[in-house]
Amino acid sequence: MTRYLRGIAIIWVAFRFGLDELVLNSFQRPWLSRIARVLAVGRNLEAPRGQRLRMALEHLGPIFVKFGQVLSTRRDLLPPDVADELARLQDRVPPFDSDIAIATIERAFRKPVDTIFASFERVPVASASIAQVHFATLVDRNGHPRDVAVKVLRPGMLPVIEKDLSLMRMTAGWLERIWVEGRRLKPRDVVAEFDKYLHDELDLVREAANAAQLRRNMAGLNLVLIPEMFWDYCHPEVIVMERMYGVPISQVDRLREAGVDIPQLARDGVTIFFTQVFRDGFFHADMHPGNIQVSVAPGTFGRYVSLDFGIIGTLTEYDKEYLAQNFTAFFRRDYKRVAQLHIESGWVPADTRVEELEAAVRTVCEPYFDRPLKEISLGLLLMRLFQTSRRFQVEIQPQLVLLQKTLLNIEGLGRQLDPDLDLWNTAKPFLEKWMLEQIGPQKMWNELRDEAPRYAKMLPELPRLLHEYLSHRPADHRRELVELLAEQRRSNRRLQRVLYAFMGFGLGLMAMHLAVRAGLW
């Protein structure tokens, strides 16, 4: 019953903010426009359409806010006024009461907030769908004051999310039953993946651990800054981290005035993404502009500043190798190899003809190579790929949903920074180098290095184990062999006795026969 009530609430919010009018007017049909005008009677729909859509998503809760965040990066698919409004969802979600935030902090650490921090700003600096952030000053273990950011989870999040996820699961089940494409697209698996990552995001200690891992991974790249976590003040509802200073990446004019090389910044973003995906298999999966800044400090000028690590994607070695081979084949325009990889991985039925799939992939992708990003219609490309996948019964892989989402974020970010960015040529050298490392001597050396602790433990034991093997026969086998030989001897003796008895019986019969013939019997 709760799911149905939530569904009714969603319909009511959509009607209240006139989203039905937006949908009906988007179709070029006069009769639909007339229906929209009739439905608008008695409602105040004077606010701009983008503002109404943003407010509806904010009313519907965190899941819908995140959906709006993803949409806000797709300026090629949205009118400018709608994209500008949705961009406000990145870090301008209405905050909750600061008294509630302070009460949460004090409950988590069992101390008054004034004894935890040397200073604490009651007004939040940012408010998002899951949590909000306050700036503060903390005295560290060495007695030094540190500028920190305090992230506090929104109250009452779990019940709201559970209702929305329950409704999504129900809707996904309906789609699989009534929609011809439902089984292939696996909507229930996709919802299950979203459920997992959304619940992970509600545990702020997990976010702190994600940040620590990314910080270690990116330490040698010198392209991105990730805040340090203060583990003495990390709790599932509150985490305290190093305060980062930077200019939001969406403020391109301000970055350009500061002297940042914007085209190089776009290329660095691609390098960071592909490094996290293909080198580490551990990537920031919520890379919308609200979570990315650029440092303009002298010592770290032009570096990315990453924030908000609640959603992290992971890939297995098989996933990385498969994706890298696909990307490399695409960049080389080796469409036959792409088709073979899809068949080998089981994404398409095994009886699919390679030549047909190759021709279909070539038809979709070839027109988009050697064009700057601003000339590529991703909407048309996705539509044609969908049509191709439906023809060849391609199955959507749920474990790659986050990667697909992050790719959309990266492409949208690249469009904002440098519309002339050649995404293909920027990524191609990196992937070719990565593939060489996977099959060359460096890969063997890395594997030997990783196994070195295990080998170091085994090597001292090897002479003793070898000596025992060569000098000692297993006692059990020797005993079994002796018993087997004894049993064989006993069997031989019994067989001999049987043979001797038959021979004696035969000789006796012959002697009787001779005696009868000689008249001696």
Side-chain angles (χ1 to χ4, degrees):
M1 180 61 69
T2 303
R3 291 179 298 181
Y4 294 104
L5 292 176
R6 178 60 174 165
I8 294 172
I10 291 173
I11 294 173
W12 165 247
V13 170
F15 184 78
R16 174 186 171 188
F17 290 97
L19 302 188
D20 56 314
E21 182 255 349
L22 297 180
V23 174
L24 292 174
N25 283 333
S26 65
F27 294 98
Q28 308 258 331
R29 296 288 186 275
W31 62 276
L32 288 176
S33 298
R34 287 194 292 270
I35 292 176
R37 286 195 295 270
V38 172
L39 292 175
V41 174
R43 289 189 288 170
N44 183 7
L45 302 179
E46 295 179 357
R49 59 182 181 177
Q51 180 181 342
R52 284 188 279 136
L53 177 58
R54 174 181 59 80
M55 294 174 64
L57 294 176
E58 290 174 349
H59 274 75
L60 289 174
I63 292 182
F64 294 91
V65 168
K66 287 201 166 294
F67 177 69
Q69 289 173 353
V70 174
L71 280 181
S72 69
T73 66
R74 308 308 305 132
R75 290 183 173 268
D76 58 324
L77 304 178
L78 297 173
D81 59 322
V82 175
D84 290 340
E85 279 292 336
L86 292 183
R88 298 183 61 189
L89 293 172
Q90 309 291 3
D91 55 3
R92 293 190 222 171
V93 178
F96 56 90
D97 194 333
S98 296
D99 290 334
I100 298 176
I102 292 174
T104 302
I105 295 171
E106 294 179 343
R107 183 177 66 253
F109 303 125
R110 299 179 181 179
K111 295 179 183 178
V113 69
D114 292 336
T115 64
I116 301 173
F117 304 105
S119 64
F120 182 86
E121 297 183 11
R122 295 181 59 90
V123 179
V125 66
S127 181
S129 56
I130 298 295
Q132 70 184 30
V133 178
H134 296 257
F135 285 153
T137 303
L138 178 74
V139 178
D140 64 16
R141 292 182 175 182
N142 299 320
H144 301 139
R146 297 287 299 273
D147 292 336
V148 297
V150 184
K151 187 170 185 178
V152 186
L153 194 69
R154 281 183 175 270
M157 287 294 300
L158 189 59
V160 175
I161 287 177
E162 289 294 346
K163 289 179 182 178
D164 285 345
L165 286 172
S166 178
L167 183 63
M168 292 173 68
R169 282 190 287 266
M170 181 178 66
T171 305
W174 285 350
L175 288 175
E176 285 197 2
R177 286 194 296 270
I178 66 177
W179 190 25
V180 67
E181 297 291 329
R183 291 185 179 180
R184 182 178 64 83
L185 296 177
K186 300 180 180 179
R188 285 190 295 184
D189 291 344
V190 172
V191 172
E193 285 287 311
F194 190 46
D195 183 351
K196 174 183 178 298
Y197 289 109
L198 199 56
H199 278 86
D200 288 349
E201 197 173 4
L202 294 178
D203 183 356
L204 295 186
V205 174
R206 181 184 291 269
E207 176 178 344
N210 290 339
Q213 182 67 53
L214 275 177
R215 183 181 171 92
R216 285 193 297 272
N217 291 349
M218 297 288 102
L221 197 61
N222 295 326
L223 293 178
V224 59
L225 303 174
I226 296 171
E228 175 190 357
M229 295 291 151
F230 292 86
W231 289 107
D232 291 339
Y233 298 97
C234 287
H235 181 272
E237 292 182 289
V238 184
I239 55 174
V240 178
M241 69 193 81
E242 174 188 7
R243 178 175 174 178
M244 307 302 288
Y245 296 89
V247 177
I249 200 167
S250 57
Q251 299 180 13
V252 180
D253 292 338
R254 184 178 168 189
L255 292 172
R256 190 175 288 111
E257 291 173 1
V260 176
D261 185 342
I262 300 301
Q264 182 60 46
L265 190 67
R267 291 191 293 271
D268 289 346
V270 176
T271 300
I272 292 169
F273 171 70
F274 281 100
T275 301
Q276 291 181 358
V277 170
F278 292 106
R279 190 192 70 181
D280 305 325
F282 190 87
F283 61 94
H284 193 313
D286 200 15
M287 297 180 67
H288 60 74
N291 289 338
I292 303 175
Q293 298 177 354
V294 180
S295 174
V296 292
T300 56
F301 185 81
R303 295 189 192 179
Y304 280 80
V305 177
S306 287
L307 304 170
D308 194 350
F309 310 95
I311 302 180
I312 292 291
T314 58
L315 295 175
T316 65
E317 290 297 323
Y318 175 81
D319 290 334
K320 289 194 296 182
E321 182 176 353
Y322 170 77
L323 288 168
Q325 289 192 40
N326 262 289
F327 275 118
T328 304
F330 268 119
F331 295 147
R332 293 175 177 171
R333 305 187 192 185
D334 187 355
Y335 303 117
K336 183 175 182 179
R337 181 56 183 156
V338 174
Q340 291 172 338
L341 286 167
H342 276 70
I343 295 173
E344 292 171 4
S345 67
W347 283 29
V348 296
D351 58 353
T352 302
R353 292 185 59 186
V354 175
E355 295 78 11
E356 291 185 4
L357 184 55
E358 175 191 359
V361 174
R362 181 187 298 110
T363 302
V364 172
C365 297
E366 189 65 28
Y368 297 96
F369 278 102
D370 297 328
R371 292 186 183 185
L373 199 59
K374 65 180 180 181
E375 296 182 10
I376 298 177
S377 172
L378 184 59
L380 179 60
L381 176 60
L382 291 177
M383 182 185 70
R384 298 196 64 184
L385 285 173
F386 178 78
Q387 292 172 344
T388 301
S389 66
R390 180 171 56 187
R391 174 185 169 191
F392 290 95
Q393 301 178 0
V394 175
E395 293 188 354
I396 301 299
Q397 304 301 306
Q399 74 272 21
L400 301 180
V401 169
L402 277 182
L403 180 62
Q404 295 166 0
K405 168 185 174 293
T406 308
L407 278 170
L408 289 174
N409 290 149
I410 290 296
E411 201 256 355
L413 180 62
R415 186 184 300 278
Q416 282 186 317
L417 292 176
D418 182 13
D420 294 322
L421 172 68
D422 191 333
L423 185 64
W424 313 115
N425 287 331
T426 303
K428 182 179 177 181
F430 177 90
L431 285 174
E432 289 180 338
K433 178 177 179 291
W434 185 87
M435 289 295 293
L436 181 62
E437 291 174 352
Q438 297 306 298
I439 61 177
Q442 185 64 36
K443 177 67 173 179
M444 180 180 295
W445 170 251
N446 291 338
E447 290 181 351
L448 289 173
R449 181 193 60 195
D450 294 340
E451 293 291 335
R454 185 162 169 256
Y455 294 151
K457 183 179 179 181
M458 293 174 59
L459 282 175
E461 300 178 358
L462 189 59
R464 177 178 57 82
L465 294 173
L466 183 60
H467 178 266
E468 289 180 356
Y469 177 79
L470 294 176
S471 61
H472 295 289
R473 295 287 190 275
D476 290 339
H477 291 306
R478 192 165 57 239
R479 185 168 52 252
E480 290 172 359
L481 183 60
V482 170
E483 292 177 355
L484 181 61
L485 291 174
E487 181 63 28
Q488 186 176 6
R489 292 192 190 99
R490 286 193 295 269
S491 298
N492 289 339
R493 286 195 295 268
R494 285 194 293 267
L495 182 59
Q496 287 174 357
R497 285 195 293 268
V498 171
L499 289 175
Y500 292 156
F502 273 108
M503 291 174 62
F505 181 71
L507 290 173
L509 289 178
M510 291 177 61
M512 290 176 60
H513 179 69
L514 292 173
V516 170
R517 294 193 60 181
L520 299 176
W521 188 262

